[in-house]
Amino acid sequence: MAKNVAGYRAEGYRRFQLKVGGNPDTDIERIHEVANKLEPGDKLIADANTGWLQHEAARVVRGVRDVDVYIEQPCETYEECLSIRRRTNLPFILDEVIDGVDILMRALSDQAMDVINIKISKFGGLTRAKLARDLCVQLGIAMTIEDSWGSDITTAAIAHLAHSTPTEYLFTSTDFNSYVTVSTAEGAPQRDNGRMAASTMPGMGIQPLMNVLGDPVVDVS
Ligand SMILES: [Mg+2]
């Protein structure tokens, strides 16, 4: 992981998300190793994807308390995450547990995070994700804007939602179509030196490749 950072930086990336959430001792070591490779302007996020039990997360945040790192979704439940949040001074991101406006409002009122990860499909599409985004902007919470996974169509949607977010609240965004080998649309944003830009054509500005997508799974007409 530490070695990969230099390679990704050469591609233009400046936010590095470290996948943790396993053995807490190994994770503490990993976070330190990667943090040692950071350069000014880089940001490091340790994302446990709900993987630690509460006592494990408590040990990790204590073990890396002097490291410049964000802690993302340490435990499975909102209550466990809130407990960890209240005993660490590290910047804190919630992801998996924020899947709708109700829990978002509760989390905002509890001051349960500094950054929220908005995954478009988790909220139920762009319209609902936009509502959550607007609430976060209003209340001063920065956002990672992305999705659970995807290719060109998903990346186009991400790029549009990210573009329309005030820059200071856009913590980071994800170019999922750089991660996959199958293209699902023409005109999707492409990574260029760590950045991507949405198409200025109408709608999402893409042409879905129907021959790749295949027959519809469901017809709602
Ligand atoms: Mg995450």
Side-chain angles (χ1 to χ4, degrees):
M1 285 173 166
K3 278 183 201 143
N4 284 344
V5 167
Y8 286 124
R9 189 186 294 105
E11 291 178 15
Y13 291 103
R14 302 305 298 273
R15 311 278 158 102
F16 303 102
Q17 193 188 64
L18 190 59
K19 286 298 178 187
V20 288
N23 179 302
D25 295 303
T26 314
D27 284 338
I28 291 169
E29 232 177 286
R30 283 185 172 131
I31 294 167
H32 279 111
E33 286 282 329
V34 176
N36 285 336
K37 303 286 180 191
L38 297 183
E39 291 184 2
D42 292 347
K43 287 199 173 64
L44 178 64
I45 301 115
D47 186 1
N49 286 107
T50 75
W52 293 315
L53 294 177
Q54 195 170 303
H55 71 101
E56 296 171 327
R59 288 192 55 228
V60 175
V61 295
R62 191 167 154 275
V64 301
R65 64 187 181 280
D66 296 322
V67 177
D68 184 7
V69 60
Y70 291 71
I71 301 295
E72 180 164 336
Q73 189 77 36
C75 304
E76 192 173 353
T77 68
Y78 175 78
E79 287 73 17
E80 291 167 320
C81 289
L82 187 59
S83 165
I84 299 301
R85 155 73 165 172
R86 286 177 171 162
R87 60 178 110 168
T88 177
N89 60 357
L90 295 171
F92 207 82
I93 306 177
L94 284 180
D95 180 353
E96 280 86 345
V97 292
I98 307 293
D99 57 2
V101 170
D102 288 357
I103 186 70
L104 173 61
M105 294 302 291
R106 183 177 165 202
L108 289 168
S109 138
D110 288 341
Q111 282 282 310
M113 73 271 158
D114 305 293
V115 179
I116 173 185
N117 185 320
I118 292 186
K119 290 186 164 77
I120 295 168
S121 56
K122 194 175 59 178
F123 276 85
L126 270 173
T127 303
R128 288 182 183 168
K130 177 186 170 296
L131 173 63
R133 188 275 310 274
D134 292 344
L135 277 169
C136 288
V137 169
Q138 190 66 36
L139 295 165
I141 299 293
M143 288 154 278
T144 289
I145 292 184
E146 60 172 17
D147 215 320
S148 304
W149 201 253
S151 180
D152 290 314
I153 297 173
T154 301
T155 305
I158 291 169
H160 281 281
L161 189 62
H163 267 302
S164 56
T165 300
T167 308
E168 63 268 38
Y169 295 109
L170 182 62
F171 179 64
T172 183
S173 197
T174 309
D175 54 323
F176 281 118
N177 61 350
S178 302
Y179 296 28
V180 296
T181 53
V182 176
S183 177
T184 54
E186 281 171 10
Q190 301 297 329
R191 188 189 74 228
D192 179 14
N193 195 28
R195 298 268 168 181
M196 61 178 175
S199 165
T200 54
M201 299 297 284
M204 289 217 291
I206 49 167
Q207 283 299 328
L209 298 173
M210 300 312 290
N211 59 326
V212 174
L213 293 168
D215 294 331
V217 176
V218 64
D219 183 351
V220 292
S221 63

